[in-house]
Amino acid sequence: MKVAIIGTGYVGLTTGVCLADLGHQVVCVDNDPAKLALLQQHRAPIFEPGIEALIAKNAEAGRLTFSAEIVPAVRQSDVIFICVNTPPKADGTADLKYVEQVARETAKALNGGYKVIVDKSTVPVTTAEKVRETIERYKTEHTTFDVVSNPEFLREGSALHDTFEPDRIVIGADSERGKRVMLELYRPLIEKIHAPVKIVSVRSAELIKHGANTFLAAKISFANLIAELCEHSQADSREVLEAIGIDPRIGRQFLSPGIGFGGSCFPKDIAAFKKTLETAGIDPAFVRAIEQINDRAWRRFVSRLEQELWVIDGKTIGVLGLSFKPNTDDIRNAPALKIIEKLKADGARLKVYDPQAMGKVKQLFTDVEYCHDPYQVAKGSQALVLCTEWEEFKTLDFKKIKAQMATPLIFDGRNALNPAELTALGFRYVGVGR
Ligand code: UDX
Ligand code: UDX
């Protein structure tokens, strides 16, 4: 099939590359010239394991192209995916201006035949209806079309795996024709790996995505709540949560306490979900509590560090990990950045390192020292703060680290290190919820 992807960010690029790899003819459109220039050289503007090789493979096979032109992309395609960003406004409402803009541009490009327009961006319930109305209003030639909702559940860092082996494919379609086209598009996944398909109404599909992300965020906040109580009562949250999670009705995943969730999705999606509830006149206290606990997670961590060091002003603190989680260079809403801001405001001198996200962070702070490895971070530091559990931090030579540090203090914001081993080496180790 012929597919256009409008918006080639994390979601759009992954979707486009994977659909091309399944054998479809895909054109990825983006209005960012710098991004396009990289993509046209078969280079990925994001760090996502495996994606660059897959871009090259499919582009060289002639199945994947990149363009700035939305009109020809829409005209040549059967299916048009809207994958532009939906950032939060100041009050948490999802800003749909890019979605609306793409809907208008798509409408003007329509010149007959039948098209399926797919909302892939995470959007509040009833957005697809607005997209349909917008296209009706702005189209100039008779074209039949359906607007379908097809939310993505991919995680950054394992985006290709999540797309090729999805837990489920959700297709929100209110017409038989739209449904058939989407099933045909995903046929290779449905037939080869038996990906479970949920065919639902458009509105249900829109709610599934917000509901799923709110639930996952709730699990993390629950874990952080238990961690708070464990710190207070000297219990070990990992023991508590592991035993709780053994119950299959609860499940062990997404119950790791830490410095809180970040990223481009959870904070934005739960804020938008909260707004949707408010608009519907439903008390959003549940969602508000998730946000409040998440905010307390990193603040509590910093105040424990402040208690430990007594005075932060003038101290050198090393930060390991800047991205919002490992295996990505994405720093959107990364807890590490909030911790850095707070420690800077308290007068600390900061030395930082991340395997992938340094380039992006350099654009934010000019007054921190960027180091080329964790050992350089450790040099002269009075405390090391681990904010992202990259694999390479777990296998550091901690003897060497200790020799470099001014005082051997480790704050492990992700419970990723081995406290017994570090204590045996003479470190003072502080984790979360233990
Ligand atoms: C975004 C949303 O944050 C997410 O909620 C949604 O599910 C999918 O889109 P992501 O792919 O991470 O996720 O966003 P981003 O990396 O910002 O990519 C959006 C892309 O759209 C950018 O490359 C941007 O240049 C492009 N864009 C945006 C357009 O091409 N046209 C526009 O009008 C606006
Ligand atoms: C998330 C959803 O998992 C995915 O299904 C959706 O499509 C997009 O949003 P992503 O933002 O890539 O994906 O990251 P995810 O792996 O979910 O982690 C989000 C944040 O939660 C990270 O900051 C991570 O460190 C944190 N987290 C995760 C915890 O603090 N504890 C956990 O137990 C799990």
Side-chain angles (χ1 to χ4, degrees):
M1 296 177 91
K2 293 191 171 130
V3 179
I5 306 279
I6 318 294
T8 313
Y10 284 85
V11 171
L13 182 59
T14 309
T15 305
V17 169
C18 290
L19 288 174
D21 208 60
L22 295 179
H24 300 299
Q25 186 67 41
V26 178
V27 52
C28 288
V29 180
D30 204 285
N31 63 3
D32 179 340
K35 229 172 230 192
L36 270 183
L38 280 173
L39 288 165
Q40 278 158 346
Q41 295 163 44
H42 304 170
R43 287 172 53 206
I46 51 168
F47 173 78
E48 181 64 42
I51 205 160
E52 216 154 56
L54 220 53
I55 293 174
K57 175 187 162 199
N58 287 287
E60 279 154 22
R63 288 190 297 268
L64 181 64
T65 54
F66 299 96
S67 166
E69 304 292 327
I70 192 165
V71 174
V74 168
R75 289 196 175 155
Q76 76 189 44
S77 301
D78 311 303
V79 185
I80 297 111
F81 276 89
I82 305 181
C83 299
V84 290
N85 40 336
T86 49
K89 292 187 192 173
D91 69 350
T93 317
D95 189 343
L96 300 174
K97 68 172 180 239
Y98 302 124
V99 173
E100 195 261 359
Q101 192 177 313
V102 170
R104 265 188 289 131
E105 287 168 12
T106 301
K108 288 180 194 155
L110 295 178
N111 64 344
Y114 172 71
K115 307 274 182 195
V116 172
I117 290 115
V118 186
D119 265 343
K120 191 83 170 164
S121 297
T122 305
V123 289
V125 62
T126 71
T127 300
E129 247 159 80
K130 295 274 190 297
V131 168
R132 192 186 52 74
E133 283 166 22
T134 304
I135 295 175
E136 283 294 359
R137 188 170 309 135
Y138 288 95
K139 73 178 181 160
T140 51
E141 291 186 43
H142 178 76
T143 306
T144 327
F145 71 93
D146 280 305
V147 180
V148 164
S149 170
N150 173 221
E152 50 73 27
F153 302 97
L154 62 87
R155 291 162 299 176
E156 290 177 24
S158 55
L160 296 180
H161 168 271
D162 293 349
T163 311
F164 282 124
E165 286 175 51
D167 296 329
R168 75 290 209 194
I169 296 172
V170 172
I171 297 172
D174 293 336
S175 82
E176 273 308 314
R177 203 171 177 188
K179 231 179 271 179
R180 272 205 310 277
V181 168
M182 294 306 286
L183 286 173
E184 178 59 22
L185 188 74
Y186 286 116
R187 194 160 52 89
L189 285 184
I190 298 165
E191 284 181 357
K192 275 190 214 137
I193 67 137
H194 308 291
V197 183
K198 282 307 281 178
I199 298 178
V200 297
S201 70
V202 173
R203 287 187 179 200
S204 294
E206 290 172 329
L207 274 178
I208 287 168
K209 178 61 199 261
H210 268 155
N213 274 358
T214 303
F215 189 80
L216 289 169
K219 280 192 89 175
I220 300 169
S221 278
F222 174 78
N224 281 320
L225 187 69
I226 293 285
E228 259 182 276
L229 187 55
C230 286
E231 280 166 22
H232 188 262
S233 46
Q234 274 109 51
D236 188 333
S237 65
R238 284 171 332 139
E239 290 174 355
V240 175
L241 289 161
E242 209 163 304
I244 290 175
I246 291 172
D247 185 334
R249 291 171 302 175
I250 297 172
R252 186 65 193 89
Q253 289 186 58
F254 274 65
L255 277 185
S256 299
I259 48 177
F261 58 76
S264 74
C265 286
F266 285 171
K268 162 178 77 69
D269 291 351
I270 64 171
F273 191 58
K274 193 174 69 179
K275 268 283 149 199
T276 305
L277 288 171
E278 273 169 13
T279 310
I282 300 166
D283 184 357
F286 176 74
V287 186
R288 200 179 305 121
I290 298 172
E291 288 177 324
Q292 286 166 345
I293 295 167
N294 196 52
D295 193 52
R296 288 207 300 269
W298 72 268
R299 290 183 191 280
R300 206 176 69 247
F301 186 69
V302 172
S303 55
R304 288 176 84 200
L305 179 65
E306 285 166 349
Q307 276 166 27
E308 188 74 31
L309 290 176
W310 191 22
V311 171
I312 296 285
D313 193 12
K315 297 251 160 71
T316 301
I317 298 174
V319 178
L320 297 180
L322 304 169
S323 56
F324 82 98
K325 66 171 194 178
N327 293 322
T328 177
D329 62 348
D330 197 343
I331 56 166
R332 290 179 284 182
N333 298 302
L337 304 185
K338 295 177 192 156
I339 291 173
I340 290 172
E341 294 270 19
K342 175 74 172 77
L343 293 174
K344 272 195 322 135
D346 290 345
R349 217 186 122 237
L350 287 149
K351 301 179 78 172
V352 307
Y353 169 76
D354 186 279
Q356 292 295 336
M358 298 282 268
K360 288 188 174 162
V361 179
K362 279 181 184 164
Q363 293 166 20
L364 295 181
F365 306 121
T366 49
D367 50 356
V368 307
E369 186 183 335
Y370 294 96
C371 298
H372 51 72
D373 67 25
Y375 301 100
Q376 196 191 348
V377 173
K379 199 160 189 217
S381 288
Q382 269 118 332
L384 265 191
V385 174
L386 186 142
C387 289
T388 318
E389 67 278 32
W390 284 93
E391 237 5 83
E392 72 168 79
F393 299 152
K394 298 179 189 169
T395 53
L396 290 173
D397 177 349
F398 282 101
K399 223 169 164 180
K400 192 167 152 193
I401 292 276
K402 183 167 173 259
Q404 307 272 7
M405 291 183 72
T407 46
L409 173 63
I410 290 198
F411 261 68
D412 180 1
R414 299 291 183 183
N415 289 339
L417 307 176
N418 184 334
E421 200 181 288
L422 293 171
T423 313
L425 283 172
F427 280 98
R428 160 109 176 96
Y429 172 92
V430 179
V432 176
R434 58 215 280 198

